């Protein structure tokens, strides 16, 4: 079984806000997701599994760069290839817009996410000390350049 990856829609906001509350200490609100849809420089995808919304991934388009801001999957749907499917589609969509370089920050202690990003050609290019709160943790700055 594969997830359905599709553009984010306004009706996804309540479910995504709920997923945020379940997995993040500083979750985005429903309103934050709705605002993404109003801005042409954001590209966000949603993931469905058997009709259930289970995650999202998105980026901000900055000329030829894409800043990946979010890749999230409900905890009970992880390890099914959903994050990788979203990331693959997000990068392809970004490249179709002319993006040649992608960047992101990831918690230094999030080894599974770091391994996933490395599979997609991202490499660590630095550390942002104390970037994350609740709990405090450094961020690894990763880039995928062509």
């Amino acid at each position: 079984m594969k997830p359905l990856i599709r553009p984010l829609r306004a009706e996804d906001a309540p479910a995504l806000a709920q997923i945020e509350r379940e997995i993040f200490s500083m979750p985005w609100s429903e309103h934050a997701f709705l605002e993404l849809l109003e801005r042409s420089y954001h590209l966000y995808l949603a993931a469905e599994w058997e009709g259930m919304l289970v995650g999202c991934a998105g980026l901000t388009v900055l000329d030829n760069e894409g800043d990946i801001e979010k890749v999230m999957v409900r905890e009970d749907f992880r390890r099914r290839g959903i994050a990788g499917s979203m990331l693959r589609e997000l990068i392809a969509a970004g490249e179709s817009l002319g993006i040649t370089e992608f960047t992101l920050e990831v918690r230094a202690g999030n080894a599974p996410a770091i391994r996933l990003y490395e599979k997609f050609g991202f490499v660590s290019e630095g550390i942002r000390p104390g970037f994350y709160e609740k709990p405090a943790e450094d961020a690894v700055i990763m880039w995928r350049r062509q």
Side-chain angles (χ1 to χ4, degrees):
M1 172 131 265
K2 288 189 172 187
L4 170 66
I5 309 301
R6 58 164 176 78
L8 184 69
R9 299 186 296 239
E11 59 265 24
D12 298 328
L16 290 176
Q18 178 60 39
I19 294 169
E20 282 272 325
R21 287 189 296 273
E22 292 171 4
I23 62 177
F24 293 118
S25 61
M26 297 178 69
W28 287 10
S29 67
E30 184 176 328
H31 180 73
F33 284 104
L34 290 171
E35 283 184 331
L36 295 172
L37 298 172
E38 297 174 8
R39 298 186 179 128
S40 62
Y41 54 88
H42 285 296
L43 173 60
Y44 268 75
L45 303 175
E48 290 183 13
W49 190 274
E50 296 183 355
M52 179 187 305
L53 191 67
V54 296
C56 77
L59 62 80
T60 296
V61 179
L62 307 163
D63 292 323
N64 69 329
E65 291 182 7
D67 181 12
I68 296 175
E69 301 168 324
K70 180 153 312 276
V71 177
M72 73 168 189
V73 176
R74 279 180 43 163
E75 286 190 49
D76 53 336
F77 281 84
R78 292 182 182 167
R79 305 203 53 82
R80 298 182 193 198
I82 297 169
S85 293
M86 287 191 297
L87 196 55
R88 184 176 303 105
E89 294 288 329
L90 190 63
I91 289 169
E95 288 174 340
S96 74
L97 295 173
I99 295 174
T100 58
E101 299 181 339
F102 295 84
T103 188
L104 57 84
E105 289 97 4
V106 58
R107 283 185 179 270
N110 191 345
I114 291 170
R115 282 192 301 274
L116 173 68
Y117 300 138
E118 288 172 342
K119 286 180 186 177
F120 282 87
F122 285 84
V123 295
S124 173
E125 292 194 12
I127 299 290
R128 289 195 202 285
F131 182 76
Y132 291 102
E133 301 174 24
K134 297 183 182 181
E137 189 171 2
D138 295 345
V140 177
I141 305 165
M142 301 186 82
W143 281 89
R144 180 182 187 268
R145 303 178 194 270
Q146 290 184 350

